[in-house]
Amino acid sequence: MKIVEQIKQPIAYEMDLFEQKFQLSMSSKVALLNRITHYIVNRKGKQMRPMFVFLVSKMVSNGEVSERTYRGASVIELIHTATLVHDDVVDDSNRRRGFFSVNALWKNKIAVLIGDYLLSKGLLLSIDNNDFDLLKIISIAVREMSEGELLQIEKARKLDITEDVYYEIIRQKTATLIAACCSLGAASVKPESEHVESMRKFGELIGMAFQIKDDLFDYGDTQIGKPTGIDIKEQKMTLPLIYVLNQSSKKDKNWLINSIKNHNKDIKRVKEVIAFVKNNGGLDYAIKKMKVFQEEALQILQTYPESDYRNSLELMVNYVIDRKK
């Protein structure tokens, strides 16, 4: 059995029902909108975020879920999808998960409006049902994701990024949404309990490990949907590179910064940078840090009684680290 199917097993019924509810939450009276949202729904990814919502919800409440849990999962997926549609516009990207992106097929103006529509759908789903605690969790995540992206853009211009700033960027950009999934799962069944904060922390730790793993793919040899060296070409400072920059002599540091600033489109030079980072311990250091986040996440899970849901979340934590793409 595939690992994702194994993780999904204890919540298979909830995920099927969620799919139906989610499709309903997308519907509109505008034919063009329905055509585009149908296109998006049929090209969904692994749906890790709703899986986090349901697994956490069932773990903290001995197998319970509520209508709020389904709404919370829908809100997360609507907001996440909105950010992906907007990201493709910002990055001028024509592909998403191997398919054409919304902006490639319907142009930027429509893609931006679709993103706005999905965002408002998500917010209204919470407001219409008085889920104000869930709305607060998701709104904080949206704010932080925007701040993280802007912080990364600002730092890419100067290339003056420290390890602490890098952690802050990935916490906001990536970890905050997974943290929101987990705290939302807990809040949907146990509002205002200590589980909400403990699961937020758990999700944040997984998100940190997830992003470091993603950054490591930039230095890999396998094709994983994005070509290697893409972060360097986009002047994104990731952990392997930051570590090596901080350990290098002044001469090597100048060569690295010059390569990233002025030769980031030169394929040969990018390969030289990748080789330099590998040979100077950048990947080993990033793997070590990723495993620290993984261990801390697993420790939080150990405070909960053993169950199928906890086992699935443990599998999820390990899958984040071991995945090949």
Side-chain angles (χ1 to χ4, degrees), residues 288-300:
K288 192 175 83 186
K289 287 291 181 185
M290 174 177 76
K291 289 193 166 161
V292 170
F293 288 119
Q294 176 195 23
E295 276 308 308
E296 286 182 26
L298 289 170
Q299 278 168 15
I300 292 175

Side-chain angles (χ1 to χ4, degrees), residues 107-173:
K107 301 288 180 270
N108 283 351
K109 184 175 181 179
I110 286 178
V112 169
L113 291 169
I114 288 287
D116 292 348
Y117 172 78
L118 295 172
L119 193 63
S120 65
K121 270 278 190 189
L123 301 178
L124 282 168
L125 188 59
S126 295
I127 292 165
D128 290 345
N129 292 283
N130 295 325
D131 297 330
F132 296 113
D133 55 337
L134 306 188
L135 183 60
K136 184 173 182 181
I137 291 170
I138 198 69
S139 300
I140 289 169
V142 173
R143 182 194 70 201
E144 295 213 314
M145 283 156 71
S146 309
E147 285 178 351
E149 282 287 355
L150 288 163
L151 180 58
Q152 185 170 52
I153 291 166
E154 179 194 354
K155 292 298 176 183
R157 287 179 179 159
K158 298 180 187 168
L159 300 186
D160 62 344
I161 185 166
T162 61
E163 200 171 315
D164 285 345
V165 170
Y166 165 79
Y167 290 136
E168 185 54 18
I169 288 171
I170 69 168
R171 187 191 67 73
Q172 292 186 314
K173 255 188 68 174

